[in-house]
Amino acid sequence: MERTLTEVKPRREGVASQVGNETVVRCEALVYETSKAPEFIDITDEVDRIVQDSGVRFGQVTVYSAHTTAAIRINENEPLLLQDMARILHEIAPQHGEYEHNDFSRRTVNIEEEECANGHAHCQHLFLSTSETIPIVDGQLATGQWQRIFLVELDMPRQRKVLVNIIGVTA
Amino acid sequence: MERTLTEVKPRREGVASQVGNETVVRCEALVYETSKAPEFIDITDEVDRIVQDSGVRFGQVTVYSAHTTAAIRINENEPLLLQDMARILHEIAPQHGEYEHNDFSRRTVNIEEEECANGHAHCQHLFLSTSETIPIVDGQLATGQWQRIFLVELDMPRQRKVLVNIIGVTA
Amino acid sequence: MERTLTEVKPRREGVASQVGNETVVRCEALVYETSKAPEFIDITDEVDRIVQDSGVRFGQVTVYSAHTTAAIRINENEPLLLQDMARILHEIAPQHGEYEHNDFSRRTVNIEEEECANGHAHCQHLFLSTSETIPIVDGQLATGQWQRIFLVELDMPRQRKVLVNIIGVTA
């Protein structure tokens, strides 16, 4: 029998509650050289180190891609799975599909000297996300067992910047 | 006639501005037993209760799934719509499709004793999100009329943990 | 040769670190009249103005749609690309597809007087997002060169409300 929604009773667990007189805001950038597309670069360890160096015990960290064709996603780091996710991205918006954005004869704005045909990368990005926000509990990233944070390159290999922005209290 | 973007003039409304000498950070966990996949569990009331118990008047709450095959989404809680969304998830990444991740003869990492074939759940998760962040205004979740927060189970029924992480000021 | 993940060494750059005795929380609403679907309304300038008016130097802003059929996304504002993204949304969940949610003879909840058939808009929203969170660095939105914030109308033209919620420190 179908459960009704009101029958789903969760268990509620207090994790932490902290009042601080000082708010710490810390922002660092991580700069990566990507090598292909799509490429899933596991940046969890670097984010975790920045969180630990910040001294913030409770709060949150936002991991933010400063790009429109590189995304931030949390998923499992299993090599075969990364192949599956690459295939699904291709099915949604194949690289060699037809995109108005790639028709340089009609483009009037945002054309750069080395502009490449990247309509697929923008369209894939539409379904991913520019950032993820993760709680910080007791000075640690509160990620679950299998969760890894990825910078996802969708376009030509290049230098990419990820902002790691922390807000919280120290004690 | 097509509107140009500069013609779209919004009305700007001040909602609240608060300066606090104390920052409150509060994190609680909600633990659910899921029953099928996909399953949309409406967790809005529990999140709202935690927000109200926190005493935070202005700030924000991040609702975070600690899992790679269970997501957090905000949408309308209408039973027929939940069926449509289940169908769309299936179209994107069907459970019985072919996934490298499900080929245990080739997997070398992250294999657990009771590992089940869940490539579809990870791929669906790629297009959903691990968390949603919602403003807190005057001690309430600032959700719109039809917005409900869902924990979305994509994999086998199991115990799932949602972190509810609040940052803000009390007065 | 395939790179192993451990070979990807980022450059880490300190951006800012600020401790504040006062936390500022500021929330404003932007109200737009939309004109079609999908419609990508570039709201970056208004968000930036609110950030600058807040006096917050370091922190973050969450841009939040109070709706289940209007989303917030960050991407490039290039007119032909917006056409591509409209097409991709249509492919995922076409307006004239079949949706249980549109079968008013079977609907039992959430039916309004002027209810329109918008199953596609909800299903497209499932793959987009209700909000985006952006770091504030030195009093400015820390958006990259091509990043623009869009309110994405997916349903019938109407009045839409976007909350701009800022948390941070002033000095």
Side-chain angles (χ1 to χ4, degrees):
Chain A
M1 198 185 76
E2 187 83 3
R3 298 197 303 183
T4 67
L5 288 165
T6 52
E7 290 178 87
V8 185
K9 287 283 172 236
R11 191 174 76 240
R12 181 173 160 183
E13 296 175 350
V15 172
S17 186
Q18 192 74 28
V19 178
N21 291 318
E22 290 185 335
T23 301
V24 175
V25 179
R26 190 186 182 91
C27 187
E28 292 203 31
L30 293 167
V31 179
Y32 293 88
E33 295 288 340
T34 63
S35 69
K36 62 175 180 176
E39 182 177 31
F40 292 82
I41 301 178
D42 186 333
I43 66 173
T44 316
D45 291 346
E46 284 87 19
V47 173
D48 196 39
R49 208 164 298 134
I50 292 174
V51 166
Q52 292 188 36
D53 290 351
S54 75
V56 167
R57 273 196 71 203
F58 296 99
Q60 62 164 54
V61 56
T62 295
V63 182
Y64 182 87
S65 162
H67 307 280
T68 55
T69 55
I72 304 294
R73 292 275 74 179
I74 296 175
N75 215 309
E76 182 182 341
N77 188 352
E78 192 280 298
L80 297 178
L81 176 62
L82 302 184
Q83 291 178 31
D84 291 321
M85 296 197 292
R87 174 178 57 82
I88 295 275
L89 287 172
H90 174 79
E91 287 174 10
I92 291 285
Q95 180 175 0
H96 299 294
E98 295 201 4
Y99 301 92
E100 308 293 327
H101 183 62
N102 295 352
D103 182 353
F104 298 113
S105 70
R106 291 169 53 223
R107 285 274 292 278
T108 55
V109 301
N110 297 1
I111 301 184
E112 295 225 289
E113 265 191 42
E114 300 181 26
E115 188 77 19
C116 55
N118 66 359
H120 67 292
H122 286 286
C123 288
Q124 291 172 2
H125 191 273
L126 180 66
F127 295 108
L128 305 185
S129 191
T130 301
S131 71
E132 292 274 9
T133 296
I134 305 151
I136 297 171
V137 176
D138 215 11
Q140 308 284 330
L141 276 178
T143 37
Q145 182 181 9
W146 303 111
Q147 288 186 313
R148 303 296 292 180
I149 308 163
F150 291 98
L151 167 64
V152 188
E153 174 62 79
L154 299 166
D155 202 352
M156 297 281 283
R158 65 183 74 179
Q159 196 177 79
R160 295 296 197 175
K161 182 181 280 195
V162 175
L163 294 177
V164 180
N165 201 50
I166 297 167
I167 302 187
V169 295
T170 50
Chain B
M1 198 184 75
E2 187 83 2
R3 297 198 304 183
T4 68
L5 288 164
T6 51
E7 290 178 87
V8 185
K9 287 281 172 240
R11 191 173 77 240
R12 181 172 159 183
E13 296 175 351
V15 172
S17 186
Q18 193 73 29
V19 177
N21 292 316
E22 289 185 337
T23 301
V24 175
V25 180
R26 190 186 182 92
C27 187
E28 293 203 30
L30 294 167
V31 180
Y32 293 88
E33 296 287 340
T34 63
S35 70
K36 63 174 181 177
E39 182 177 32
F40 293 82
I41 301 178
D42 186 333
I43 67 175
T44 316
D45 291 347
E46 284 88 18
V47 172
D48 195 40
R49 209 164 297 133
I50 292 174
V51 167
Q52 292 188 35
D53 290 351
S54 75
V56 168
R57 273 197 72 202
F58 296 99
Q60 62 163 55
V61 56
T62 295
V63 182
Y64 183 87
S65 162
H67 307 280
T68 54
T69 55
I72 304 293
R73 292 274 75 178
I74 296 175
N75 214 309
E76 183 182 341
N77 188 352
E78 192 280 299
L80 297 178
L81 175 62
L82 302 184
Q83 291 178 32
D84 291 321
M85 295 197 292
R87 174 177 58 81
I88 296 274
L89 287 172
H90 174 79
E91 287 174 10
I92 292 285
Q95 181 175 0
H96 299 294
E98 294 201 5
Y99 301 91
E100 309 292 328
H101 183 62
N102 295 352
D103 182 352
F104 298 112
S105 69
R106 291 169 53 222
R107 283 273 293 277
T108 55
V109 301
N110 295 2
I111 301 184
E112 295 227 288
E113 265 192 43
E114 300 181 26
E115 187 77 21
C116 55
N118 66 358
H120 67 292
H122 285 286
C123 289
Q124 291 172 2
H125 191 273
L126 179 67
F127 295 108
L128 304 185
S129 191
T130 301
S131 71
E132 291 275 8
T133 295
I134 304 150
I136 298 171
V137 176
D138 215 12
Q140 308 285 330
L141 277 177
T143 38
Q145 181 182 9
W146 302 111
Q147 289 187 311
R148 304 296 291 180
I149 309 163
F150 291 98
L151 167 63
V152 188
E153 175 62 80
L154 299 166
D155 202 353
M156 297 279 285
R158 65 184 72 179
Q159 198 176 78
R160 296 295 198 176
K161 182 181 281 194
V162 175
L163 294 177
V164 179
N165 201 50
I166 296 166
I167 302 187
V169 295
T170 49
Chain C
M1 199 184 75
E2 186 84 2
R3 299 197 303 182
T4 67
L5 288 166
T6 52
E7 290 178 87
V8 185
K9 287 282 172 240
R11 191 175 77 239
R12 181 173 160 184
E13 296 175 351
V15 172
S17 186
Q18 192 73 28
V19 178
N21 291 316
E22 289 184 336
T23 301
V24 174
V25 180
R26 189 186 184 91
C27 188
E28 293 203 31
L30 294 167
V31 180
Y32 293 87
E33 296 287 340
T34 63
S35 70
K36 63 174 180 176
E39 181 177 32
F40 293 82
I41 301 177
D42 186 333
I43 67 174
T44 315
D45 291 345
E46 284 88 18
V47 172
D48 195 40
R49 208 163 298 132
I50 292 174
V51 166
Q52 292 189 36
D53 290 351
S54 75
V56 167
R57 272 197 71 202
F58 296 99
Q60 63 164 54
V61 56
T62 296
V63 181
Y64 182 87
S65 161
H67 307 279
T68 55
T69 55
I72 304 294
R73 292 275 75 178
I74 295 174
N75 215 309
E76 182 182 341
N77 188 353
E78 191 281 299
L80 297 178
L81 176 62
L82 302 184
Q83 291 179 30
D84 291 321
M85 298 198 290
R87 173 178 57 82
I88 296 274
L89 287 172
H90 174 79
E91 287 174 11
I92 292 285
Q95 180 175 1
H96 299 295
E98 295 201 5
Y99 301 91
E100 308 293 326
H101 183 63
N102 295 351
D103 182 353
F104 297 112
S105 69
R106 293 168 54 223
R107 283 274 292 278
T108 55
V109 300
N110 296 1
I111 301 184
E112 295 225 290
E113 264 191 44
E114 299 181 26
E115 188 77 19
C116 54
N118 66 358
H120 69 291
H122 286 285
C123 288
Q124 291 173 1
H125 191 273
L126 179 67
F127 295 108
L128 305 185
S129 190
T130 301
S131 71
E132 292 274 9
T133 295
I134 304 149
I136 298 171
V137 175
D138 215 12
Q140 307 285 330
L141 276 178
T143 38
Q145 181 181 8
W146 303 110
Q147 289 186 312
R148 303 296 292 179
I149 309 164
F150 290 98
L151 167 64
V152 189
E153 175 61 80
L154 300 166
D155 202 354
M156 298 280 284
R158 65 184 73 179
Q159 196 176 78
R160 296 294 199 177
K161 183 182 280 194
V162 175
L163 294 177
V164 179
N165 201 50
I166 296 166
I167 303 187
V169 295
T170 50

